[in-house]
Amino acid sequence: MNKSSAVSGFYKLSPQERLRFVREFSKLTDEEAKVLISMQALKLDDANRMIENVIGGITLPFGIATNFQIDGKDYLIPMAIEEPSVVAAASKAASMTRKKGGFKTAYTGSIMRAQIQVVECDVRKASKAIVKAKEEILRKAAGQSPTLTSLGGGPKDVKTRVLKTPSGSMLIAELYVDCKDAMGANAVNSMAEAVAPIIERVTGGTVLLRILSNLATERLATATATFAKGELGGAEIVDGIIQAYHFADFDQYRGTTHNKGIMNGIIAVGLATGQDTRALEAAAHSYASMSGRYRSLTSWKKNRDGDLVGSIKVPIAVGIVGGSASVNPIAKIGLKILGVKSAGELSKVMASVGLAQNLAALRALVGEGIQKGHMKLHARNIAVSAGAKGAEIDAVARIMIKEKVVKFARAKEILEGLGRK
Ligand code: MEV
């Protein structure tokens, strides 16, 4: 039976009570629950094997966005992020579209491309030679990742492009690899390095770079969702959101911030599930400018009923096997909470969260602004930094919000006042 992720008042629970709900929903073990709540997931030895010169670790808040229904399935969404309001905003947007059927998604497949740069050659002859050697190149590449190949993935095609540059003409051979449920960077890079000698031999040129492209245009996730105008606050809000979208789509300064809001959602899920978030950022922003100008990753329009319909199309190269997802215990738990069965499913969830985030940001921006939503958590943070403890935190925050003065100095004064009583 499909469990419901629509939990009312989730935000009012204590972290322990929320964890109890998530444990039940996602069948977490005692050990997994303990790891989550300990906030000390990654062991020093594991961290020391992951990167160089390790001296410790850094922890981020790990929250759960509720209400998500994607292609008819309910999800609790793990999000790791330091910014207030993001988790609440995603949950709110998901609850609004839930009444209209939730998110509908698609995925193009997990194809990544490796680029092999060939210089000092006759580019036309070299291109023909590479096409002729295609089978040999694919065979060699497949040998680098027998498991992937046995699963039906692996290298699928080789194409070439000629670039005219200030360094002269160069040939770029591109190897297309189906990475299935892996993000694939390691496999793809190994393949690119392995086939380079064949490419040098057949072209007579010199191979320089052998590296995957993060612009994953063959790995696109799309999500669409409808939001009833009544839910959003009326026809004016719908029109305002469409105007806000056009602002972002036609102005790079606004578009960058608009897309940053989308990435708040995508990256938070990426961090909670152990993904290469720099790759996700690079791909998304580069894709946003593919048409020759930097554009919104989402689009918004009105349907015949006057409801708002949004969609997002974004490259999302993620994995559920290999990479840091297999080392970091928190990432494994994040994936278990989501219950995704493939990298494609994870990509579609992330695109939906990005769309939800964008809707929430635009609705707040055309309405009351974003500061009010931020204020409560911000005030509590300021209270803590001024030295408030336990019940004092909420007491100091409440006074600052009432006075509309959320400042460190005021928090100190209020604390002193509380102490004197
Ligand atoms: C803040 O992290 C994200 C927003 O700036 C996004 C936007 O402006 O659309 C609120």
Side-chain angles (χ1 to χ4, degrees), residues 83 86 254 257-258 260-262 264 358 361-362 365 370 374:
E83 186 174 328
V86 172
R254 173 58 205 148
T257 319
H258 172 102
K260 186 269 183 185
I262 293 167
N264 276 347
N358 188 225
L362 296 184
L365 288 168
I370 61 159
H374 275 288

Side-chain angles (χ1 to χ4, degrees), residues 62 65 77-81 263-275 277 280 318 334-335 338 346 349-351 353-354 357:
F62 182 107
I77 312 282
M79 301 178 81
I81 189 163
M263 298 313 284
N264 276 347
I266 292 177
I267 296 298
V269 181
L271 282 172
T273 57
Q275 308 303 328
T277 53
L280 289 165
V318 288
L335 286 169
L338 268 178
L346 176 57
V349 166
M350 290 166 82
V353 177
Q357 215 66 56

Side-chain angles (χ1 to χ4, degrees), residues 3 14 21 40 61 78 103 122 152 161 173 186 194 198-199 243 272 300 304 324 342 352 362 413 418:
K3 294 160 283 186
S14 68
F21 179 85
Q40 294 171 350
F103 299 88
D122 175 328
R161 289 194 291 127
N186 274 330
I198 302 177
I199 290 181
Q243 283 169 327
W300 295 96
R304 260 186 291 172
S324 125
S342 65
S352 304
L362 296 184
E413 276 172 20
L418 288 177

Side-chain angles (χ1 to χ4, degrees), residues 133-329:
K134 185 165 137 179
E135 288 314 314
E136 184 188 356
I137 293 169
L138 291 178
R139 229 180 2 260
K140 180 75 186 172
Q144 303 308 302
S145 196
T147 317
L148 190 58
T149 309
S150 73
L151 293 170
K156 298 291 174 198
D157 203 1
V158 184
K159 291 182 183 163
T160 59
R161 289 194 291 127
V162 173
L163 283 189
K164 290 199 166 36
T165 79
S167 305
S169 288
M170 54 184 77
L171 188 71
I172 312 301
E174 294 186 324
L175 179 66
Y176 293 81
V177 182
D178 185 346
C179 299
K180 293 282 174 191
D181 288 328
M183 190 274 187
N186 274 330
V188 172
N189 288 337
S190 304
M191 289 178 193
E193 291 187 8
V195 302
I198 302 177
I199 290 181
E200 281 198 330
R201 191 191 77 227
V202 301
T203 60
T206 302
V207 166
L208 281 178
L209 270 59
R210 297 140 295 162
I211 185 78
L212 102 163
S213 169
N214 285 118
L215 181 53
T217 50
E218 284 74 35
R219 211 169 182 173
L220 295 174
T222 52
T224 60
T226 301
F227 299 84
K229 63 172 180 287
E231 279 287 326
L232 290 167
E236 259 178 46
I237 303 276
V238 171
D239 290 338
I241 290 174
I242 293 169
Q243 283 169 327
Y245 149 60
H246 285 144
F247 178 13
D249 204 37
F250 282 85
D251 180 74
Q252 186 159 0
Y253 285 93
R254 173 58 205 148
T256 302
T257 319
H258 172 102
N259 287 342
K260 186 269 183 185
I262 293 167
M263 298 313 284
N264 276 347
I266 292 177
I267 296 298
V269 181
L271 282 172
T273 57
Q275 308 303 328
D276 178 344
T277 53
R278 289 86 53 215
L280 289 165
E281 286 281 7
H285 293 290
S286 175
Y287 187 70
S289 60
M290 280 247 30
S291 66
R293 71 180 159 89
Y294 187 90
R295 301 189 63 182
S296 164
L297 289 165
T298 53
S299 65
W300 295 96
K301 62 179 188 211
K302 235 185 323 195
N303 67 13
R304 260 186 291 172
D305 300 328
D307 294 333
L308 185 69
V309 182
S311 67
I312 183 168
K313 194 180 212 182
V314 60
I316 297 199
V318 288
I320 61 163
V321 294
S324 125
S326 60
V327 183
N328 192 331

Side-chain angles (χ1 to χ4, degrees), residues 18 24 36 84 103 111 123 347-348 356 410 417:
R18 290 187 202 117
E24 184 69 19
L36 266 176
F103 299 88
I111 303 279
V123 287
S347 307
K348 295 193 282 187
R410 181 62 190 133

Side-chain angles (χ1 to χ4, degrees), residues 83-85 373-382 401:
E83 186 174 328
S85 302
H374 275 288
M375 234 4 110
K376 196 163 165 214
L377 287 169
H378 179 57
R380 297 180 83 213
N381 283 334
I382 296 284
I401 288 169

